[in-house]
Amino acid sequence: MADAIAIYIVNAEELQTDHPDSTAWCQASCFSGQVGKTCLVPDATGKLSKVLVGRPDSLDTWTLAGLPKTLPTGTYRLGSTLSASSATKLYLGWQLGSYSFDRYKLTKTGPLANLEIPDNIDLTYVKAATEATYLVRDLITTPSNNMGPDQLEETARSLADRYDAKIQVIAGGDLVIENYPMIYAVGKASTRAPRLIDLRWGNPDAPKVTLVGKGVCFDSGGLDVKSATGMRLMKKDMGGAAQVLGLAQMIMEIGLPINLRVLVAAVENSIAGNALRPLDILTSRKGTTIEVGNTDAEGRLVLADALWEASSEEPDLIIDCATLTGAARVALGTELPAFFCNHNEITSALLKTGLDLDDPLWNLPLHDAYRTMLDSPVADMNNIASGSYGGSITAALFLQEFIQADIPWIHVDFMAYNLRSLPGRPEGGEAMGMRALFELIKKHIA
Ligand code: BES
Ligand code: ZN
Ligand code: ZN
């Protein structure tokens, strides 16, 4: 087998000192170590001899992530000497950049450029993070006709099998019997039965973390129907469920010493004669009444019942992930998830961890004064706010009503979808903040 081709990460100075033999070629190729640029250097016979990559200020996860799909097929190695943590990041980026979604393509993606495993990296971590990210992407990108509540259940069941976890599913009319009225109400108009998926794993005596996911497999808006453009991407409205399943897979694969519970509210927000109507009044699992100001604010309804159940066991931490509001995207754009948290130390830790891992999230306030915007003249609360500003905050305040006061809680409101391709992050379904959440649990809870 041919020797692996070395990849060197260089700035202008290193290019001069370490690669003097390549000066003329680099000049002819307009490469001087610019960030984001790559130079393929041939030997005297014209064969590729090495790859030079512009050195960013700090080596982040994405430094080499564009290469698997742009370099000629073959085997490469890291030529530069790097710390174990940088090499781990770069190798992870390479793996994340090697993803393709080709389930529906007759012609599958051919072999890509391959990177030899660098020395001293945390390979277990990279493998777990890669596999979990691929799972999340696959689940979200798969269209709704092949990704309903039943397929989310199937996914959770296969995770339970693989990691010897316990799983219980409450579906259809049983949701009413078992007192999950709002999950039932949102999902009842679909031919695909709504359900609550409940997975448990780990040591019952260890610190308890409960993950809750919004699994709206398609959000038509319900009777308050979305516009065609608003509805187009709504196969991704189960992104929160996908992300908590991915996070759970990472936790179980690595074997974090925690007591894990995952609750996924899996429904389809459909339109039919029996659909939830505007101004219907529901009684929540908690017992409070909710007036449905808008059937398109369905995510908070299904999450409310799941969060109340999560709270009942008083875990050490509750994390919910949800493609909850367009407003969070207006505030932060599609590539930066918003998070809300009722605990200051956890807030700072998650902010920092996200930045450290190139998996950033940004915190928005649980601004109490807006709580009255959710008042209803006829019920205990409305599911939409009276004004149209601050929609991600009022949605978070709605959810907070279903968290028992002193339980630390993180709510992630995110896009779950790359609208554009960036190195290592192809257009399509995406985990966002998952690696940061994993690290937070590992460092602060486990
Ligand atoms: N799934 C949507 C939120 C969404 C839309 C997330 C686009 C990301 C991109 C959610 O169920 C929804 O429709 N929310 C409404 C709430 C409104 C009716 C108060 C929204 O954000 O417009
Ligand atoms: Zn909606
Ligand atoms: Zn939704």
Side-chain angles (χ1 to χ4, degrees):
M1 209 177 79
D3 279 348
I5 297 160
I7 300 174
Y8 297 96
I9 301 165
V10 294
N11 55 27
E13 214 180 288
E14 289 162 323
L15 184 58
Q16 302 259 318
T17 52
D18 304 345
H19 302 274
D21 53 326
S22 309
T23 313
W25 177 264
C26 288
Q27 258 172 16
S29 316
C30 303
F31 180 75
S32 56
Q34 305 96 312
V35 178
K37 272 195 106 176
T38 302
C39 184
L40 276 59
V41 184
D43 65 14
T45 69
K47 243 180 67 198
L48 180 58
S49 73
K50 63 182 167 187
V51 177
L52 303 175
V53 175
R55 180 187 286 280
D57 285 342
S58 76
L59 289 179
D60 72 12
T61 308
W62 315 117
T63 307
L64 303 180
L67 298 186
K69 289 184 183 169
T70 50
L71 288 181
T73 311
T75 300
Y76 297 81
R77 66 179 174 86
L78 283 180
S80 307
T81 323
L82 300 167
S83 67
S85 77
S86 286
T88 302
K89 274 193 173 189
L90 296 192
Y91 191 64
L92 174 64
W94 188 286
Q95 297 307 317
L96 297 181
S98 302
Y99 173 86
S100 309
F101 183 81
D102 53 17
R103 172 172 171 178
Y104 297 91
K105 294 273 197 191
L106 189 58
T107 318
K108 307 293 182 194
T109 318
L112 302 174
N114 175 44
L115 183 65
E116 281 183 354
I117 302 167
D119 292 337
N120 305 324
I121 65 163
D122 187 346
L123 189 58
T124 311
Y125 172 78
V126 172
K127 281 187 170 165
T130 301
E131 210 192 333
T133 306
Y134 282 23
L135 172 70
V136 177
R137 290 174 177 176
D138 284 349
L139 291 173
I140 298 170
T141 308
T142 300
S144 188
N145 58 324
N146 292 133
M147 188 49 62
D150 38 350
Q151 281 86 8
L152 276 184
E153 174 180 340
E154 239 172 69
T155 306
R157 283 194 189 280
S158 73
L159 281 182
D161 266 2
R162 178 165 163 193
Y163 296 104
D164 210 14
K166 291 198 176 64
I167 186 164
Q168 204 203 336
V169 176
I170 301 168
D174 284 352
L175 288 166
V176 178
I177 296 166
E178 300 289 335
N179 192 27
Y180 292 95
M182 301 209 290
I183 299 180
Y184 178 76
V186 170
K188 66 185 174 178
S190 172
T191 52
R192 304 190 283 186
R195 63 206 73 192
L196 178 73
I197 302 161
D198 185 353
L199 179 144
R200 291 172 188 274
W201 173 89
N203 174 3
D205 300 323
K208 180 167 208 152
V209 177
T210 300
L211 309 178
V212 178
K214 171 178 172 181
V216 176
C217 292
F218 191 78
D219 183 8
S220 68
L223 287 173
D224 286 316
V225 62
K226 286 182 184 292
S227 67
T229 29
M231 198 189 302
R232 206 174 80 89
L233 215 57
M234 283 301 133
K235 65 174 182 181
K236 69 145 176 113
D237 213 21
M238 36 57 73
Q243 175 142 294
V244 299
L245 290 171
L247 178 54
Q249 176 172 312
M250 245 183 119
I251 290 168
M252 296 189 288
E253 177 66 30
I254 290 179
L256 284 192
I258 61 165
N259 178 12
L260 176 67
R261 186 180 190 196
V262 184
L263 292 168
V264 168
V267 301
E268 180 176 8
N269 190 15
S270 293
I271 298 170
N274 64 339
L276 183 64
R277 291 164 285 257
L279 299 199
D280 277 359
I281 296 177
L282 305 173
T283 302
S284 67
R285 179 172 185 78
K286 181 180 175 183
T288 52
T289 55
I290 308 296
E291 183 185 18
V292 180
N294 193 313
T295 64
D296 197 10
E298 83 298 337
R300 62 195 78 181
L301 296 175
V302 301
L303 285 174
D305 278 355
L307 287 171
W308 186 249
E309 170 53 26
S311 280
S312 70
E313 294 183 336
E314 299 187 7
D316 297 277
L317 177 63
I318 297 176
I319 300 174
D320 79 73
C321 294
T323 49
L324 201 64
T325 67
R329 307 287 67 78
V330 173
L332 297 179
T334 58
E335 291 164 13
L336 187 55
F339 79 94
F340 298 81
C341 182
N342 58 358
H343 191 289
N344 288 339
E345 274 162 54
I346 296 178
T347 302
S348 326
L350 185 55
L351 248 175
K352 179 173 183 322
T353 307
L355 292 171
D356 287 349
L357 295 186
D358 310 315
D359 194 22
L361 304 99
W362 214 262
N363 85 106
L364 293 178
L366 288 161
H367 185 55
D368 252 356
Y370 292 168
R371 169 64 187 77
T372 50
M373 293 182 182
L374 292 165
D375 288 349
S376 156
V378 287
D380 296 325
M381 200 166 37
N382 201 307
N383 78 329
I384 57 159
S386 45
S388 58
Y389 294 111
S392 65
I393 298 176
T394 48
L397 290 172
F398 180 94
L399 296 183
Q400 192 174 23
E401 293 292 318
F402 300 89
I403 302 288
Q404 262 157 52
D406 41 10
I407 304 174
W409 163 61
I410 298 168
H411 158 55
V412 177
D413 187 343
F414 74 129
M415 181 66 175
Y417 210 88
N418 296 323
L419 292 181
R420 58 170 179 171
S421 286
L422 290 172
R425 289 147 293 174
E427 183 184 333
E430 185 64 290
M432 296 178 166
M434 179 179 71
R435 289 179 287 112
L437 290 168
F438 172 85
E439 204 65 19
L440 179 94
I441 295 168
K442 181 178 156 188
K443 281 212 194 110
H444 296 270
I445 309 290

